[in-house]
């Protein structure tokens, strides 16, 4: 099934980076990614202060850049927030929305994540909508209910055409930054559930890219990406090292072959 879809590998730098250190990472990723086949797409979501640097160093390369959040508002008196249109000024392609760290530390509700997704789409960005359950929710058998609610709140606000333009990232909270990756079959089962939910929204939506995130590393990426409904990854820690990030991108390429 996944053989018709492209693969996508996106780095989420989170709150890491310094202007002096980013240059080597961005330049190396751009150089390494140029050797990938075109069905493997690559992106990096950087902290907003580094958007200009990303644009300068990645512009003209195959690597797209993005933000890790956007405001639900188009503009106005919202101190500290960044509008999707501002990201567009820096040539941004991707906007992560609803990352579990924002849901947990900034109390973002499923409805707010839906509103942010819509704003990103209206600004011309590709939202990467994160969904995921905590360990407690998994152990109580609530995984599908939790991520179903998270995804439904987003899809409810979108037309079929808009929904076809989103990327969904399944990131089990218990696998983020813990070194505990979901087993490939375990991740695939959730992705198949998400795929069915997308399909219910419309035939075109069923082919939206579904990424897995949570302790993806060079040594586990290949098996994860080989699963039928896993179209790539959202990579945290390993995206900060060009060697590891590029190895994960190459694993996506291998999974396509
Ligand atoms: P790690 O790859 O560091 O576990 O982070 C995953 C993540 O949260 C990506 O958005």
């Amino acid at each position: 099934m996944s053989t018709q879809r492209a693969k996508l590998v996106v780095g989420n730098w989170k709150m890491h980076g310094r202007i002096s250190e980013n240059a080597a990472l961005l330049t190396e990723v751009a150089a390494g990614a140029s050797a990938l086949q075109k069905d493997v797409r690559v992106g990096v979501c950087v902290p907003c202060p580094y958007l200009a640097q990303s644009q300068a160093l990645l512009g003209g390369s195959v690597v797209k850049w993005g933000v890790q959040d956007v405001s639900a508002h188009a503009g106005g008196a919202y101190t500290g927030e960044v509008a999707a249109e501002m990201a567009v000024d820096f040539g941004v392609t991707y906007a992560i929305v609803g990352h579990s760290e924002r849901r947990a530390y900034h109390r973002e509700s499923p409805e707010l994540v839906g509103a942010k997704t819509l704003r990103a789409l209206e600004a011309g960005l590709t939202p990467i909508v994160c969904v995921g359950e905590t360990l407690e929710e998994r152990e109580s058998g609530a995984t599908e209910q939790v991520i179903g609610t998270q995804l439904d709140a987003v899809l409810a606000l979108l037309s079929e055409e808009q929904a076809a333009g989103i990327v969904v990232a399944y990131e089990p909270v218990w696998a983020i930054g813990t070194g505990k990756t979901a087993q490939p079959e375990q991740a695939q089962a959730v992705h198949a559930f998400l795929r069915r939910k997308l399909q219910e929204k419309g035939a075109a939506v069923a082919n939206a890219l579904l990424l897995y995130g949570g302790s993806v590393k060079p040594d586990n990426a290949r098996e994860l990406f080989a699963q039928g409904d896993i179209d790539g990854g959202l990579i945290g820690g390993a995206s900060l090292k060009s060697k590891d990030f590029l190895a994960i991108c190459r694993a996506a390429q291998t999974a396509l072959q």
Side-chain angles (χ1 to χ4, degrees), residues 118-242:
L118 184 58
R119 279 299 318 130
L121 282 166
E122 285 174 345
L125 301 176
T126 299
I128 301 175
V129 181
C130 300
V131 297
E133 82 288 3
T134 63
L135 186 59
E136 201 183 0
E137 288 163 343
R138 171 162 283 269
E139 286 176 346
S140 68
T143 299
E144 291 193 355
Q145 190 245 314
V146 169
I147 63 173
T149 302
Q150 291 170 345
L151 186 59
D152 283 346
V154 171
L155 294 180
L157 298 182
L158 310 183
S159 68
E160 189 178 332
E161 195 190 341
Q162 286 171 323
I166 68 170
V167 173
V168 178
Y170 169 54
E171 297 207 314
V173 177
W174 48 270
I176 295 176
T178 58
K180 266 197 210 170
T181 324
Q183 291 307 306
E185 305 72 30
Q186 206 177 20
Q188 165 57 28
V190 177
H191 279 233
F193 168 75
L194 289 169
R195 183 82 64 205
R196 287 196 297 277
K197 291 210 66 85
L198 293 171
Q199 173 92 53
E200 283 166 18
K201 181 76 184 175
V205 190
N207 272 325
L209 298 181
L210 285 180
L211 310 183
Y212 169 79
S215 298
V216 179
K217 306 289 175 203
D219 61 0
N220 59 25
R222 191 171 161 168
E223 216 188 327
L224 284 160
F225 298 166
Q227 304 297 314
D229 289 297
I230 301 184
D231 303 317
L234 186 56
I235 319 301
S239 72
L240 300 171
K241 291 184 193 143
S242 60

Side-chain angles (χ1 to χ4, degrees), residues 28-64:
E28 284 161 23
V29 167
S34 67
L36 296 166
Q37 67 191 57
K38 69 176 180 350
D39 282 350
V40 181
R41 300 179 198 156
V42 180
V44 288
C45 292
V46 302
C48 285
Y50 304 135
L51 287 176
Q53 187 185 26
S54 301
Q55 186 176 28
L57 294 178
L58 298 177
S61 84
V62 297
V63 181
K64 308 295 182 197

